[in-house]
Amino acid sequence: MVPTTSALPVWLLFLCGLGEAAPSHRGHCTGNQCFALFHEPGDFAGAQKSCKDSGGQSLMSNSEHVETLLKSPLPGSYWLTPSPDGPGRPGCPCISVSGGRNFTVLWKPCLDTLDGFLCQFTFDELCGGLQAASDAQVKYTYTSMDLELDLELDDSDTFPPGTIAVAGTLDGQYLDSKHVCTSSGWLEAPWTCEVLQGGCEHTCSPTHGCICPAGEILQPNNFACTASPCASNPCTGEGEECQFTTDGFTCTCKDGFVQEDGECVDVAICEKCEHMLCDKFNGVYMCHCRKGFSVSPRDPTKCELICTERDCPSICVHDDKKGPQCFCLDGYIQDTSPNTSTPFCTDIDECESNQCDQQCENAFGSYRCLCDDGFKLHHNKYTCVPVKELEEDDDGSGSTAPYPSPASPHPATVVPSYIKTGSVMGMSVFVALCAALLYFLIRNGAKRCGRFELPSFRHPEIDIFYLQQVTTEKYKRISFDKQFKNDPPTIL
């Protein structure tokens, strides 16, 4: 519920604030004229100029409306305009108010500074009093942005265009209405946004009227705003949302939720179920499938065919661009047959890849690992450990994994112990072969280049030959010397 104030009504506080926002210039309108008392200190010349700048003229001392303006003025002295038929006296006329309705017309030096002045204004068209409820009080305020004029026009008979009338009752939570005087009469807020923001307290929209800021809602009067009861987020249940009502607020279910046993339950998934079967489980609606199908693990709204044989038809989806796209359930692989053009699904024998530590039992679409006597399946579902060791790992609690227990269709790859040992030996042999090969490559390169020396392996009788550039004459001489050396000695 929207709380009500135990002190002044909201609309009365608004009126008080409106009075504080504008200068306290008291006015009175009757016929086509308005008269105003301004509390602006100054001399006589300044008072005359201020009246003229506001679109009026100084009120004459013999005007019958002087007494109306001075019904309850503040004590002080206020400038007037001398009457043409008045007695000629030195100085300028003014009215001195001592309290209540007692006032006296005096003549003071025109350069004296008084408390204010009296002005009169003439208008072509005026509005009559606003027709409000019999128990409503109306406050009239005239505001002219062009003339910088603000007047409180209570107890007036007529009102100039631009006058704002706000009506409300003393026991009401909100203001009843707000109107503006135009040449055609009173217009109720919200009016056109071009005139005083449509009378809206905050933002005026040409298409939506008055708009409130975040966390506030529009009051029934359609121009003022108040704090939204939903701003404090009172509806916090799953799937709930807060809606404002004339009595306060109410908690309702969001779209896609229905109320069951006082709670909002999500049923949006039921509209997407492929087989249109939907049941509630533990307070949550879930899709179900017809016999022979199961809910897809990839999409909880889709159904997949259950395969209980070694070979089953593949699941195909038509694609406009790529044609039929076929796939198999987990644990099956696509295969083809010369008898049919459509691929089918055949069971994967996971035991052929030796996934289990000791024993393996294949199943359609899955498999499970088993252990020998004296062993139990470890928590990872594919490694076997001695029963005693497993109990020690469980801190003596004695609780072990179920035996036998089916393994996941796709467990992580685990290398058995004997494979680990063979791998180490194989890697050692491989490293030794690589080292020997590297040695022979280096040695062969040294022989080819002729520059790489291996002094530790060189035989002491081995000669090393070097290539040398020679000329033709030198080559003939070397050849001749060699031939001479090879000739047998001559026996004399």
Side-chain angles (χ1 to χ4, degrees):
M1 297 294 292
V2 178
T4 59
T5 177
S6 58
L8 293 176
V10 176
W11 73 270
L12 188 56
L13 295 176
F14 173 79
L15 297 183
C16 294
L18 183 62
E20 294 175 0
S24 57
H25 301 327
R26 182 176 290 106
H28 173 74
C29 297
T30 182
N32 66 339
Q33 288 187 324
C34 292
F35 310 92
L37 185 150
F38 292 85
H39 291 275
E40 295 181 12
D43 57 13
F44 180 78
Q48 296 286 316
K49 183 177 183 302
S50 295
C51 280
K52 184 177 180 181
D53 291 344
S54 300
Q57 59 184 2
S58 180
L59 187 62
M60 292 187 179
S61 58
N62 63 347
S63 173
E64 60 179 326
H65 301 288
V66 172
E67 184 176 359
T68 303
L69 289 175
L70 300 178
K71 283 183 178 181
S72 57
L74 297 175
S77 299
Y78 305 93
W79 291 114
L80 295 170
T81 295
S83 175
D85 54 354
R89 295 182 181 181
C92 296
C94 67
I95 288 183
S96 177
V97 182
S98 58
R101 299 184 63 182
N102 299 324
F103 56 88
T104 304
V105 178
L106 301 176
W107 291 80
K108 292 189 176 183
C110 297
L111 296 179
D112 283 2
T113 298
L114 301 187
D115 299 311
F117 51 90
L118 301 177
C119 289
Q120 63 181 16
F121 305 88
T122 302
F123 297 93
D124 295 333
E125 298 177 349
L126 289 92
C127 294
L130 179 67
Q131 299 297 322
S134 58
D135 58 343
Q137 296 186 2
V138 183
K139 183 177 179 64
Y140 299 93
T141 304
Y142 173 74
T143 301
S144 175
M145 301 302 296
D146 296 334
L147 302 178
E148 298 183 357
L149 182 61
D150 296 282
L151 298 176
E152 297 178 2
L153 299 180
D154 298 334
D155 300 328
S156 295
D157 301 325
T158 56
F159 304 92
T163 300
I164 301 296
V166 180
T169 57
L170 290 175
D171 57 351
Q173 297 181 10
Y174 311 108
L175 291 168
D176 291 345
S177 62
K178 186 177 185 180
H179 296 74
V180 62
C181 175
T182 65
S183 58
S184 58
W186 293 102
L187 292 180
E188 186 174 4
W191 52 78
T192 177
C193 294
E194 286 75 14
V195 179
L196 298 176
Q197 284 294 315
C200 298
E201 184 178 10
H202 290 282
T203 305
C204 182
S205 170
T207 56
H208 299 89
C210 297
I211 301 177
C212 296
E216 297 186 12
I217 58 174
L218 201 63
Q219 296 179 3
N221 53 35
N222 293 326
F223 68 88
C225 298
T226 188
S228 172
C230 296
S232 58
N233 197 13
C235 304
T236 58
E238 178 69 21
E240 287 186 345
E241 64 180 359
C242 180
Q243 289 188 350
F244 175 74
T245 64
T246 55
D247 297 330
F249 70 91
T250 182
C251 294
T252 60
C253 294
K254 299 178 182 178
D255 292 340
F257 290 79
V258 295
Q259 191 170 27
E260 293 183 359
D261 301 328
E263 296 181 353
C264 294
V265 182
D266 185 8
V267 296
I269 192 174
C270 295
E271 300 177 357
K272 304 176 183 178
C273 294
E274 183 178 9
H275 288 182
M276 301 306 294
L277 298 176
C278 193
D279 294 321
K280 186 167 64 173
F281 179 74
N282 290 338
V284 179
Y285 278 90
M286 303 173 61
C287 293
H288 291 274
C289 301
R290 295 192 297 269
K291 185 177 180 180
F293 292 82
S294 63
V295 177
S296 171
R298 293 177 292 271
D299 187 345
T301 64
K302 302 298 182 182
C303 294
E304 293 182 351
L305 181 67
I306 299 176
C307 184
T308 58
E309 299 178 359
R310 181 179 181 84
D311 298 329
C312 294
S314 58
I315 304 172
C316 298
V317 179
H318 182 74
D319 190 317
D320 294 336
K321 296 181 179 180
K322 300 181 180 180
Q325 301 295 313
C326 300
F327 61 93
C328 296
L329 300 176
D330 292 338
Y332 287 80
I333 188 172
Q334 279 192 9
D335 198 355
T336 57
S337 173
N339 300 327
T340 59
S341 58
T342 304
F344 64 95
C345 298
T346 185
D347 173 55
I348 300 175
D349 189 355
E350 292 85 358
C351 294
E352 292 182 353
S353 59
N354 203 10
Q355 301 277 3
C356 300
D357 191 11
Q358 293 183 355
Q359 300 180 32
C360 179
E361 182 181 89
N362 187 50
F364 296 140
S366 182
Y367 71 98
R368 64 175 181 173
C369 295
L370 303 176
C371 297
D372 298 335
D373 294 339
F375 291 84
K376 281 193 176 182
L377 204 62
H378 194 262
H379 300 303
N380 57 22
K381 308 300 183 185
Y382 48 82
T383 303
C384 294
V385 296
V387 176
K388 183 177 180 180
E389 181 180 339
L390 186 60
E391 292 176 352
E392 291 177 355
D393 292 341
D394 292 334
D395 296 330
S397 61
S399 59
T400 59
Y403 174 80
S405 176
S408 170
H410 299 284
T413 303
V414 177
V415 180
S417 57
Y418 63 87
I419 295 181
K420 293 182 180 178
T421 304
S423 299
V424 173
M425 295 178 61
M427 291 178 63
S428 301
V429 174
F430 176 76
V431 172
L433 291 175
C434 290
L437 179 62
L438 181 62
Y439 166 75
F440 286 112
L441 288 175
I442 295 174
R443 184 176 181 182
N444 186 49
K447 290 182 177 180
R448 289 174 178 266
C449 295
R451 293 183 180 180
F452 193 88
E453 296 184 3
L454 297 175
S456 58
F457 293 98
R458 181 184 303 172
H459 195 275
E461 296 181 358
I462 295 178
D463 291 332
I464 298 177
F465 298 92
Y466 299 92
L467 295 179
Q468 181 178 1
Q469 184 177 2
V470 296
T471 62
T472 305
E473 294 298 331
K474 187 175 182 179
Y475 174 76
K476 291 180 179 179
R477 188 173 59 256
I478 292 174
S479 300
F480 177 78
D481 293 341
K482 184 176 182 181
Q483 180 179 3
F484 180 78
K485 290 179 180 179
N486 294 332
D487 288 341
T490 306
I491 300 176
L492 297 179

